[in-house]
Structure formats: C-alpha cells, structure tokens
Amino acid sequence: MYRRRDTRREQLVAEITNNLRRYAVDAQQVGHAFANLHGLNPTDLQALIAVMDAELLGDPITPGRLGEQLNLSSGSVTALIDRLERAGHIRRDRDTVDRRKVLLHYADQGAALAMQFFQPLGARTDTVMARFGEDELEVVHRFMAEMSESLRGHRDAVRAARPESPRRPTG
Amino acid sequence: MYRRRDTRREQLVAEITNNLRRYAVDAQQVGHAFANLHGLNPTDLQALIAVMDAELLGDPITPGRLGEQLNLSSGSVTALIDRLERAGHIRRDRDTVDRRKVLLHYADQGAALAMQFFQPLGARTDTVMARFGEDELEVVHRFMAEMSESLRGHRDAVRAARPESPRRPTG
DNA sequence: CTGGATAATCTCGGCTATCAAGATACTCGG
DNA sequence: CCGAGTATCTTGATAGCCGAGATTATCCAG
C-alpha cells in the first residue's frame, strides 16, 4: 500500500494502487449510503443488483447461486429474499422444469431503484471518459479487464482459504 | 449499466464501466471473505485499514472521524473500537492537548493483519501492471485519479441526500 | 466559577446472519 | 410404481452488530 517511489514508474504503480483501493472503498460507501437512503441495507442492494444482472443476461438467478455470490448461508438468503419481495423489489417464480428451484425476477420497483442507483453514477463516469481519446480508452480497457480478472482470482483464493484458528475443532 | 454499443468508443465505455463495477463488487467480497477468515466483520476490516491509513499519513484518527468515514453512529464506533482493541489490533491513546479526544493507533497484530491483507493483492496488482508500458500507466493513472475523485463526489452527494424529505429547507 | 459545547462511552431495542432441522421435489435402482 | 438418496429452499432459535438517546469528562468563553 505504501511503497518506495524511486522511479517514475514505481510512483505510478503506487498511486494507481492507491486509487484502486480508494475507488473500491468509496464504491462500498456509495452503496452503503444509497441503501440507507432507501431503507435497505448494503446486502439488499447487492442482491438486487445481482438479480437484475442475471436476468438481463437472460439467466435468472436462484437463491442458491445468490447465496454463493454474496457468501451468505441459505437461511440468510431466504430472509433476504423475503425482505426484497415484501418491499416489492423482486418476486419469486418457481422453475417449471425443476420445481425445487426458485427463479428471482426483479419487479418494477426494483428496476426503478437500480436505475436510480446507476444513472447518476453513469453520468459522472461518462463525463470523465469524455476527457480521454479512444486509443487511451483502449489502454484503460485492457488494464481494467486484466485487473478485474486478477481480483476475481484473488477473491476465489481468499474464499478457498480456511480459518487458521477455527472456533470449533475440525469436525 | 447496459447500453448500446454502436461505435467502438461506446463499446469501450460500456465495458470499462462494467469492469469498474465488477471490480468494486469483487473488492467488497474480498474484504468480506478475508474478514470472515480472520474472525472479523467487514466493518472491522475497513476500520483497521482506516486507522493504519491515517497513522501512516502522520495524522492519527479519532473515533469521531472514523465514524464519519464509515458512516457509523458514535455508539457503534465505541463498540467497534472495543472489539478491535480487545483483539489486539489497535489501541487507544488520549490526546495530550485535548483530553476529551482519543487517538487510535494500530498495534503489531493489526499491522500484521493489514499486511496479510494487502501483500497478496499487491503481488497480483504488480503482475498485471508489469504488462503495461510507462506511458500506458500514465494514462491509467490519470484515468483512475479522475475516476476516483468523481466517485468521491458522488458518494458525498448521496450522503448529503436525506431519506424522507430530500428538499428539506435548512437543518 | 458557571454555562454551553464537544468528544467519547454506556444502555437498550431492532435487525441481520448463522446454524440446525424440516419440507418439498427431483433422480435413480429395483 | 416404489423407496432411498440427494438437492433446493424454508423455518425457528440464537448470537452479534448497529442506531438512538442519555451520561460522563473535558474544553472554552466570560
């Protein structure tokens, strides 16, 4: 996080790292603040976005997969979906093929909220990007794609790790 | 979030936006997973990082300012600091000038944990950056700096908004 | 010294997450 | 068709975190 900056290159690496970290922290706080503003909690917002994401890709998410994405237990996911459904943000549908499964779809209220979340953010993002040439955006794109993939690998590694001193003996 | 991609430029903008969003989500999940792994919760980890950050910049943070950063009430901050202190991650010091104030310093245990958090991440980050030339990193740096600043502005705007009466006169 | 403001802590209630057990539906062998 | 085994989701009980308001200690103005 704080490293020596002997050369210009090292300085750049250090500052970019710091900016990425701050960006992540700030993004989290945006989510927190926005959720509070609308009577949700951060988990609910994350879930709502995940539901929209999956559905817009044509592959509605199930409670099980949602729990994997958010790292929640199955019981917590049920409670989470109950809250979101009660608030009118999403709705449950049984899968017609495998009726054990529940497919989650966003409702109008949820879509409106997600739009409200992304639009102002997108506007700011576009404003910044307008100050960059297409060739520059190519570089940024390559960078972000690789960085994003790298972070996902890191996340999976951390998740795969097991606690050093478990509360309960292995059993 | 999902926009048309008529031109190459619009495609780039769309994909970069998606990557930024995914990066933020994944970063949050890394924090979540890492915190779980070490018996903390995400807030604790955020606080620990904030404490280190402030102290390394030579300006130790107080509970009050920590609460502002994390958007927590004063009572929650006290409980948070109690947990971190009990776990040996940080310690309290009274300010000698204004003895109402408490200054937070990280303890060895906290520093070790933060290192454990950032080192593997930094290694991956460096690997990615090694694949970019110095001129390319200049572009990325400019981009991230502006994007980071823009997001901070957005965060403050969302925080400034009020839940029930968004257009409340004064106070 | 008195009164008001600021900083942190304490106490209590609500809400969320985890864990364990249960209910329903699918799969497969006989 | 029938039953055992498995997968998916839900329910109920418990623990821990967060927010709001009251309380204590300190600073500052006069």
Side-chain angles (χ1 to χ4, degrees):
Chain A
M1 169 161 64
Y2 299 92
R3 62 194 74 188
R4 298 183 62 192
R5 288 166 297 168
D6 295 336
T7 68
R8 172 61 178 159
R9 186 186 179 92
E10 286 171 4
Q11 185 182 5
L12 283 172
V13 168
E15 293 206 3
I16 292 172
T17 301
N18 278 335
N19 275 328
L20 282 170
R21 179 170 57 87
R22 290 164 72 182
Y23 187 90
V25 169
D26 291 338
Q28 189 170 348
Q29 295 183 348
V30 166
H32 189 86
F34 181 88
N36 272 350
L37 190 59
H38 293 277
L40 305 171
N41 63 54
T43 303
D44 293 4
L45 183 63
Q46 263 189 288
L48 185 58
I49 292 171
V51 168
M52 278 203 64
D53 226 343
E55 184 159 2
L56 288 175
L57 291 176
D59 183 25
I61 202 170
T62 64
R65 291 204 300 128
L66 182 60
E68 286 172 16
Q69 274 198 33
L70 302 187
N71 229 19
L72 291 180
S73 67
S74 59
S76 307
V77 173
T78 297
L80 165 68
I81 296 172
D82 285 347
R83 288 197 300 274
L84 288 177
E85 195 173 33
R86 202 179 314 126
H89 293 311
I90 66 173
R91 65 186 159 75
R92 287 172 158 102
D93 270 343
R94 282 282 166 187
D95 188 339
T96 52
V97 179
D98 184 345
R99 287 213 310 278
R100 291 171 304 182
K101 291 183 182 174
V102 167
L103 298 179
L104 303 176
H105 303 277
Y106 64 85
D108 292 348
Q109 179 124 0
L113 197 62
M115 287 303 164
Q116 219 175 329
F117 179 76
F118 283 112
Q119 265 180 6
L121 191 57
R124 282 177 187 266
T125 299
D126 290 350
T127 300
V128 170
M129 293 213 204
R131 292 199 283 270
F132 287 77
E134 187 168 322
D135 52 340
E136 292 177 322
L137 289 184
E138 291 280 2
V139 173
V140 170
H141 174 239
R142 183 160 65 88
F143 179 83
M144 282 312 303
E146 295 196 22
M147 206 49 112
S148 188
E149 165 135 14
S150 169
L151 183 61
R152 223 159 22 253
H154 180 55
R155 179 200 61 186
D156 294 340
V158 175
R159 281 187 176 172
R162 283 288 157 260
E164 298 165 357
S165 48
R167 308 272 164 74
R168 307 167 51 184
T170 321
Chain B
M1 172 159 60
Y2 298 92
R3 63 194 73 188
R4 297 183 62 192
R5 290 165 295 166
D6 294 336
T7 69
R8 172 62 179 160
R9 186 185 178 93
E10 287 171 4
Q11 185 182 5
L12 282 171
V13 168
E15 293 205 3
I16 292 172
T17 301
N18 278 335
N19 276 327
L20 282 170
R21 180 170 56 86
R22 290 164 73 181
Y23 187 90
V25 169
D26 290 337
Q28 190 169 347
Q29 295 184 347
V30 166
H32 189 84
F34 182 89
N36 272 350
L37 189 60
H38 293 278
L40 306 170
N41 62 55
T43 304
D44 294 4
L45 184 62
Q46 263 189 288
L48 185 58
I49 292 171
V51 169
M52 277 203 65
D53 225 344
E55 185 159 1
L56 288 175
L57 290 176
D59 183 25
I61 202 171
T62 64
R65 291 204 297 127
L66 182 60
E68 286 172 15
Q69 275 198 33
L70 302 187
N71 231 18
L72 291 180
S73 68
S74 61
S76 305
V77 173
T78 298
L80 165 68
I81 296 173
D82 284 347
R83 289 197 300 275
L84 289 176
E85 195 173 33
R86 202 179 315 126
H89 293 311
I90 66 173
R91 68 187 158 73
R92 288 170 158 104
D93 270 342
R94 282 280 166 189
D95 187 341
T96 52
V97 179
D98 184 345
R99 288 214 308 279
R100 291 171 305 180
K101 290 185 181 174
V102 166
L103 298 180
L104 303 177
H105 303 277
Y106 63 84
D108 292 348
Q109 180 126 0
L113 196 62
M115 286 303 164
Q116 221 175 327
F117 180 75
F118 282 112
Q119 264 180 6
L121 191 56
R124 282 176 185 267
T125 299
D126 290 350
T127 300
V128 170
M129 293 213 202
R131 292 198 283 270
F132 288 77
E134 187 168 323
D135 52 339
E136 292 178 321
L137 289 183
E138 291 280 3
V139 173
V140 170
H141 174 239
R142 184 160 63 90
F143 179 83
M144 281 313 303
E146 295 197 24
M147 206 49 111
S148 187
E149 165 134 15
S150 170
L151 183 61
R152 219 156 27 251
H154 180 54
R155 179 200 61 186
D156 294 341
V158 175
R159 281 188 176 172
R162 281 289 159 264
E164 282 199 321
S165 45
R167 308 185 54 188
R168 199 167 117 196
T170 324

